[in-house]
Amino acid sequence: MEKKYSYGFKLNVVQEYLQGTSGTNLLAQKYQVSGPSLIRKWVNQYQEYGKEGLQTKKTKKKYPLDFKLNVLKFKQDTGASYKDTANAFGISEPSIIANWRRSYLKEGAPGLNKPIGRPPKMTKSNSEEKKKNQQKKLPTSEAEIELLKKENEYLRIELEYLKKLKARGLKDPRENNSQE
């Protein structure tokens, strides 16, 4: 389990680092922080977002599918690091992008749109009733048509990505996962 650090503690460590008297290795030992990479992360968050960047977020931010695909496309096209990509898009945690990439390579665009957390329990009768209701509904509302248009756009982006891989002589990374 990851240790939680207070806002004041992180701010003091970052300010000491920015004064230039100590490096991340020394500060990690001095303050018994898990490692210098955590201090570098705090410094990056402070430099990008100011003091607010060091505050613990109360809720997880949810990102729409098109945003995730744009982030992944940017990273692929520019070759930027996860940190630089996160900074460019205002994402405080670069590992989120790595998780999106892993999901995309494994399952494609639908893998990026999975709900987080445990699905609700359903009784068998509720489940059958829900399936019947879903079958009755046809995409007639403007919102549903818009959703289908966005999904179509995501699939176009995915296809474009796969074409670029093929043009560069690279294979679809998802092919390796399906053979295992």
Side-chain angles (χ1 to χ4, degrees):
M1 189 169 119
E2 190 176 305
K3 185 176 177 183
K4 303 272 184 189
Y5 299 95
S6 72
Y7 166 76
F9 176 81
K10 290 190 260 187
L11 186 59
N12 286 338
V13 173
V14 168
Q15 288 175 338
E16 188 170 335
Y17 173 81
L18 293 175
Q19 289 171 356
T21 56
S22 302
T24 55
N25 289 330
L26 188 61
L27 288 170
Q29 290 174 352
K30 178 179 178 181
Y31 291 106
Q32 298 177 346
V33 174
S34 60
S37 63
L38 185 57
I39 295 174
R40 284 191 294 272
K41 176 181 151 186
W42 293 344
V43 169
N44 178 60
Q45 288 174 329
Y46 180 81
Q47 289 174 331
E48 286 296 316
Y49 309 108
K51 292 180 179 181
E52 294 81 32
L54 296 176
Q55 293 177 337
T56 305
K57 312 298 185 273
K58 300 292 184 218
T59 59
K60 288 187 177 183
K61 187 169 182 183
K62 292 186 173 124
Y63 299 97
L65 180 57
D66 58 340
F67 178 80
K68 293 176 186 179
L69 289 169
N70 287 336
V71 170
L72 292 175
K73 185 172 178 358
F74 172 85
K75 181 172 182 352
Q76 175 70 28
D77 291 348
T78 63
S81 68
Y82 287 114
K83 177 182 154 190
D84 292 338
T85 303
N87 290 343
F89 286 90
I91 300 170
S92 61
E93 191 61 53
S95 63
I96 292 172
I97 301 170
N99 292 339
W100 292 346
R101 184 174 182 272
R102 196 175 312 109
S103 294
Y104 181 79
L105 292 176
K106 187 176 181 184
E107 302 172 47
L112 294 174
N113 223 9
K114 288 186 174 178
I116 298 173
R118 179 186 286 193
K121 286 188 175 182
M122 254 194 216
T123 63
K124 192 171 185 177
S125 62
N126 285 348
S127 177
E128 290 170 6
E129 188 177 315
K130 188 172 183 179
K131 283 181 185 177
K132 287 179 187 176
N133 288 340
Q134 285 177 341
Q135 289 171 350
K136 289 178 187 175
K137 291 181 182 177
L138 295 175
T140 55
S141 74
E142 289 183 35
E144 289 172 308
I145 291 171
E146 194 60 36
L147 184 66
L148 290 173
K149 285 180 181 178
K150 283 186 178 184
E151 184 178 356
N152 194 12
E153 179 63 23
Y154 307 146
L155 293 173
R156 280 192 193 117
I157 292 171
E158 183 177 10
L159 183 60
E160 184 180 322
Y161 170 73
L162 293 173
K163 284 181 181 178
K164 284 184 180 182
L165 285 178
K166 189 175 181 181
R168 292 180 180 172
L170 301 171
K171 291 184 179 179
D172 183 351
R174 298 173 295 177
E175 290 177 8
N176 295 339
N177 294 336
S178 63
Q179 293 175 353
E180 291 178 2

